[in-house]
Amino acid sequence: MPNFKNPSPPADGYRGRFAPSPTGSLHAGSLVAALGSWLDARRNHGKWLLRIEDLDTPRCISGADQEILRQLLACGLNWDEEPTWQSKHQERYKKALERLNQLQIIYPCTCSRQDIANVLEARGVMTPRNQEMVYPGTCRPHQIGTYDEVERSSAQVAWRLALPPGITMHFEDLVLGKQTQNLNREVGDFVLHRRDSVFTYQLAVVVDDAEQKITHIVRGADLLNNTARQMYLQRVLGYQTPSYLHLPLVLDEHGEKLSKQTLASAIHTENAQQALQELRKAAMHLGLRDLPDGKETTIAQWLLAATQAWDRKITSS
Ligand code: GLU
Ligand code: ZN
């Protein structure tokens, strides 16, 4: 893992978070994100919040949230403040969408994925496998006004953010260094509210990170590609931008990212020995060395040592 830059401490206290989607139990990859964000919060004597991102109901599995809570506790990854569920905060997201409507920067879109694919194909644009299609702007009106009712759910439209031309976002990832993304070219006008009336991850994560006053985001590198979009949304909504640190991904034997979609198996946390074993694997992945490996080591002792190891790793760079 590359060296870290030492982040400057936030003015009003560190607030980090872990934000799993309850689409299954924690697997080796999600434990790395949980552990990395927890260690970073503890190293900074900050708060670590738990937020269940359960807006995409077709993908959520009933009971997975409770299982994730149990697994985290079994690993000694305790949270501060009450956990929150995005499904309980629909009003917040609606307000944010209405604000963007007042700013006249959203518009309705009726394109299906196939429609978008057809337009791109006709223009000779190829989308690489595993990459999202760049929206070609088919439904974008010449002049965007305000719409009376942004939540025209019965009308089955998606709401997209209208990007002004030339939006290139630059940011410094605390692990990966300087990042640049041209949103127009690489993303296009992105969806904030889906045709099936679900607020998207992009909108909800930005609203909640601001609402919960998150100062530091530590998460898997699979989310790196979303960061520029989220920073742009923070800008237009008038929110502060937190600092970002993206952790290396855990890959399977085929070099693919471990995910619930590829049926990554759940971590074992039935007893303390198993939980410690999973934590050790996650720590190896984070590049933490010289951690206690004795049989008598308790999870609490191990986590303390891991926090110090994480601190050494960051401060030595
Ligand atoms: N809910 C997202 C996921 O499970 C993570 C959100 C985030 O950390 O920004 O992939
Ligand atoms: Zn459209």
Side-chain angles (χ1 to χ4, degrees):
M1 183 158 166
N3 281 342
F4 297 94
K5 309 271 176 322
N6 198 5
S8 46
D12 56 1
Y14 181 114
R15 289 173 69 82
R17 66 5 174 232
F18 176 53
S21 306
T23 51
S25 333
L26 289 184
H27 53 77
S30 39
L31 182 63
V32 167
L35 179 63
S37 59
W38 189 90
L39 290 175
D40 202 55
R42 294 296 171 250
R43 166 189 112 80
N44 283 285
H45 309 289
K47 296 251 192 285
W48 189 69
L49 277 57
L50 178 61
R51 178 170 78 228
I52 304 292
E53 302 209 322
D54 58 345
L55 288 181
D56 193 357
T57 35
R59 290 181 56 232
C60 293
I61 292 180
S62 133
D65 53 351
Q66 294 304 328
E67 176 61 12
I68 291 171
L69 264 61
R70 262 196 303 278
Q71 290 172 304
L72 290 171
L73 288 179
C75 290
L77 303 178
N78 53 329
W79 49 85
D80 307 300
E81 305 186 2
E82 281 298 302
T84 57
W85 274 255
Q86 287 191 320
S87 56
K88 296 185 188 151
H89 295 124
Q90 305 280 345
E91 271 311 303
R92 285 183 190 172
Y93 315 125
K94 190 162 176 238
K95 271 210 187 105
L97 196 67
E98 275 160 4
R99 171 97 192 96
L100 298 170
N101 183 32
Q102 282 158 8
L103 295 169
Q104 308 193 337
I105 52 175
I106 58 170
Y107 63 90
C109 164
T110 51
C111 299
S112 64
R113 288 185 64 77
Q114 192 55 52
D115 294 335
I116 299 173
N118 292 345
V119 172
L120 291 176
E121 198 188 314
R123 293 187 189 175
V125 180
M126 297 281 285
T127 304
R129 197 175 72 94
N130 288 338
Q131 252 182 336
E132 275 171 71
M133 293 183 284
V134 176
Y135 184 64
T138 324
C139 294
R140 183 169 175 159
H142 290 298
Q143 193 95 51
I144 300 170
T146 38
Y147 302 90
D148 293 341
E149 177 59 274
V150 284
E151 218 205 339
R152 279 196 258 153
S153 47
S154 56
Q156 295 272 305
V157 299
W159 289 90
R160 288 186 185 269
L161 184 72
L163 291 169
I167 299 296
T168 300
M169 304 299 292
H170 300 276
F171 65 98
E172 175 92 15
D173 181 277
L174 295 173
V175 172
L176 304 169
K178 285 202 187 330
Q179 304 292 316
T180 299
Q181 191 178 55
N182 178 306
L183 286 178
N184 310 83
R185 223 177 19 240
E186 296 175 54
V187 179
D189 292 347
F190 54 97
V191 176
L192 303 175
H193 191 236
R194 295 190 334 209
R195 259 148 55 106
D196 60 359
S197 282
V198 173
F199 290 102
T200 60
Y201 160 63
Q202 309 295 351
L203 181 70
V205 79
V206 163
V207 170
D208 282 339
D209 284 335
E211 196 78 37
Q212 297 184 283
K213 300 191 165 39
I214 300 301
T215 60
H216 287 68
I217 294 180
V218 177
R219 61 186 179 187
D222 53 326
L223 295 162
L224 180 66
N225 189 260
N226 298 280
T227 306
R229 252 171 281 192
Q230 295 170 12
M231 289 175 65
Y232 182 70
L233 269 179
Q234 287 154 5
R235 185 195 290 173
V236 292
L237 284 165
Y239 300 153
Q240 303 253 335
T241 288
S243 71
Y244 287 94
L245 189 163
H246 289 89
L247 302 165
L249 287 190
V250 180
L251 303 178
D252 66 14
E253 66 268 30
H254 312 291
E256 302 267 356
K257 170 189 112 144
L258 275 196
S259 73
K260 293 150 198 163
Q261 287 86 333
T262 57
L263 298 179
S265 47
I267 54 164
H268 291 288
T269 54
E270 285 80 60
N271 60 52
Q273 272 316 313
Q274 284 180 347
L276 201 48
Q277 202 44 40
E278 300 288 1
L279 284 168
R280 285 182 166 130
K281 279 191 263 174
M284 287 262 284
H285 191 77
L286 291 172
L288 301 182
R289 302 280 173 263
D290 305 323
L291 295 176
D293 55 6
K295 268 210 156 59
E296 346 46 70
T297 313
T298 65
I299 290 180
Q301 287 165 340
W302 185 89
L303 283 171
L304 183 61
T307 306
Q308 289 157 353
W310 180 254
D311 188 55
R312 280 196 301 277
K313 188 170 179 80
I314 299 221
T315 48
S316 69
S317 61

